[in-house]
Every structure is written in structure tokens, then in C-alpha cells.
């Protein structure tokens, strides 16, 4: 993994200790040796969100730190997946999420496989929205440092959103069949924004 953390710290006249202090101020516990391992690309934090926190405290884009596009995509994908799962679980616990309620009304809640599809759909929908926010915030084109130059690349969140959209469409086939079996005397919710 190509990581430019040490270079960015040098440009900002900062040490690992300085970065550690900034992260600790945000409640993130990390030591200098961990930061050194992350910086060398020898180790990746278990919680990939730490990369976003490091980028935020250094006031740079994550792409400036993780310059290898495949590594960047893998990290963003894992963050999005985890966020989606957490968001969905939070909504599930509250039991007031309309999408979750609508999907639950379509299935046999005693069948684990059908419950798993609801959970997966909620997670994917949350991920789709998160990626959309990323695209709106960073734009369709991002600038990635490459050696001494900067390259323009398509925002990797776009490709990830297309992949998530394909998975949502596939799951929609299952829920559409369930909708056909339900009585038609109720108002249908429009979830098409997740499956465009």
C-alpha cells in the first residue's frame, strides 16, 4: 500500500507525536509505533475510519495519504460497509425507519434468510446514500498525488455506488416478488431513489 503520511507530516513540520496528540484530542488512542507502521504501509488500522480521522486532523483529503487507488477503494468500501451496517442497526433498533418497516411488512420475519435480505438491503441503501454524499462533497473528479505530479481521476465513490446500486437492484427482484403477493389495498412507498 502506497502511503504518503510521513511525507505529509514532514511538509507540515509535524511528528508522529504531534499527530498522536491531535488524534487523542478526538478520543482516538494510537501510539507512535502504530502510526509509523501505518505510515510505512506495513500495517493497516483495524478500524479503517482512523484513516479519515488522520486526514481530517491533517486537513488533507484521504487520497493524498493513500495514493494507491486500489487501497483507497478498499478502505472506502470497508468504511462505507461498516457505516451502512451501523446506520441500519441503529434504525432497526429504533424500529422507526420507514424503509426497514416497509421491507419487514413484506417478509416472513421468522425466516432468517428473509430477515438477512432486509438487513442487507438497509445496509446497502445506507451505503448508497453515504457514497452519494461523498460524490456531492468531493465531486466527480478528484486529484491524486502521483510522485511529483497530481493526476485527475474519476472519484472512486462513483464506481462503488454503481456496484452497490447493482446489488440493490438484485435484492429488489426478491422484494418485488413479495410485493406482488401482498394485498393491493395499501399505499406503496417509493424507494426508487435507491435503485436508479
Amino acid at each position: 500500500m502506497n502511503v504518503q503520511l510521513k511525507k505529509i507530516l514532514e511538509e507540515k513540520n509535524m511528528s508522529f507525536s504531534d499527530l498522536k496528540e491531535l488524534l487523542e484530542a478526538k478520543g482516538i488512542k494510537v501510539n507512535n509505533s502504530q502510526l509509523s507502521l501505518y505510515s510505512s504501509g506495513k500495517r493497516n488500522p483495524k478500524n479503517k475510519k482512523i484513516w479519515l480521522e488522520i486526514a481530517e486532523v491533517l486537513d488533507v483529503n484521504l487520497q493524498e495519504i493513500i495514493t494507491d487507488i486500489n487501497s483507497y477503494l478498499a478502505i472506502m468500501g470497508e468504511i462505507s460497509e461498516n457505516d451502512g451496517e451501523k446506520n441500519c442497526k441503529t434504525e432497526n433498533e429504533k424500529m422507526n425507519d420507514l424503509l426497514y418497516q416497509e421491507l419487514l411488512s413484506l417478509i416472513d420475519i421468522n425466516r432468517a434468510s428473509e430477515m438477512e435480505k432486509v438487513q442487507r438491503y438497509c445496509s446497502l441503501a445506507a451505503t448508497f446514500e453515504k457514497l452519494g454524499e461523498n460524490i456531492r462533497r468531493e465531486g466527480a473528479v478528484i486529484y491524486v498525488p502521483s510522485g511529483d505530479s497530481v493526476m485527475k481521476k474519476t472519484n472512486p465513490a462513483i464506481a462503488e455506488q454503481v456496484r452497490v446500486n447493482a446489488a440493490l437492484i438484485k435484492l429488489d427482484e426478491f422484494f418485488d416478488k413479495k410485493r406482488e403477493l401482498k394485498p393491493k389495498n395499501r399505499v406503496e412507498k417509493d424507494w426508487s431513489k435507491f435503485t436508479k
Side-chain angles (χ1 to χ4, degrees):
M1 183 163 78
N2 194 354
V3 181
Q4 298 295 316
L5 180 57
K6 191 165 187 176
K7 182 181 173 191
I8 291 167
L9 288 173
E10 286 170 1
E11 287 170 2
K12 292 180 175 283
N13 293 319
M14 292 175 69
S15 65
F16 289 132
S17 295
D18 297 326
L19 177 57
K20 177 180 168 254
E21 284 178 27
L22 290 172
L23 291 169
E24 283 176 350
K26 294 185 73 146
I28 298 163
K29 297 209 184 285
V30 65
N31 60 46
N32 288 359
S33 62
Q34 286 174 304
L35 290 173
S36 177
L37 289 169
Y38 300 160
S39 175
S40 66
K42 290 179 182 170
R43 182 168 290 166
N44 213 345
K46 285 180 188 168
N47 180 353
K48 303 301 183 283
K49 267 191 149 178
I50 288 177
W51 284 121
L52 291 177
E53 299 291 349
I54 289 170
E56 186 178 313
V57 298
L58 293 176
D59 196 29
V60 297
N61 289 325
L62 182 57
Q63 297 94 332
E64 294 175 58
I65 298 173
I66 311 293
T67 56
D68 173 54
I69 195 72
N70 291 328
S71 298
Y72 172 81
L73 282 172
I75 289 167
M76 289 307 290
E78 192 171 325
I79 290 169
S80 297
E81 245 174 59
N82 291 342
D83 279 353
E85 286 166 15
K86 283 178 193 160
N87 289 345
C88 193
K89 283 176 189 166
T90 302
E91 293 304 314
N92 295 348
E93 287 164 8
K94 291 178 183 175
M95 294 298 285
N96 65 358
D97 178 70
L98 295 175
L99 172 60
Y100 182 74
Q101 293 292 344
E102 197 255 346
L103 295 178
L104 268 188
S105 73
L106 297 173
I107 66 161
D108 177 353
I109 59 172
N110 296 315
R111 296 188 67 184
S113 63
E114 292 191 9
M115 282 298 291
E116 187 274 333
K117 283 181 173 62
V118 170
Q119 295 287 349
R120 191 161 19 118
Y121 195 98
C122 286
S123 176
L124 287 166
T127 299
F128 186 88
E129 287 296 302
K130 200 90 165 154
L131 289 165
E133 288 169 20
N134 176 284
I135 294 164
R136 284 188 290 280
R137 186 177 59 248
E138 295 183 13
V141 175
I142 59 170
Y143 297 90
V144 181
S146 177
D148 292 336
S149 63
V150 176
M151 295 173 57
K152 276 172 61 171
K153 292 194 176 205
T154 303
N155 188 333
I158 294 171
E160 186 64 17
Q161 195 178 46
V162 168
R163 187 187 68 77
V164 168
N165 189 44
L168 281 167
I169 290 169
K170 189 90 173 134
L171 274 173
D172 257 342
E173 293 170 9
F174 168 80
F175 289 113
D176 282 343
K177 286 178 186 165
K178 291 289 187 179
R179 284 182 187 99
E180 289 171 12
L181 300 173
K182 286 284 176 188
K184 299 290 182 204
N185 62 350
R186 60 190 190 87
V187 177
E188 292 287 329
K189 301 277 190 257
D190 180 14
W191 305 109
S192 61
K193 73 174 188 171
F194 295 113
T195 57
K196 287 181 184 169

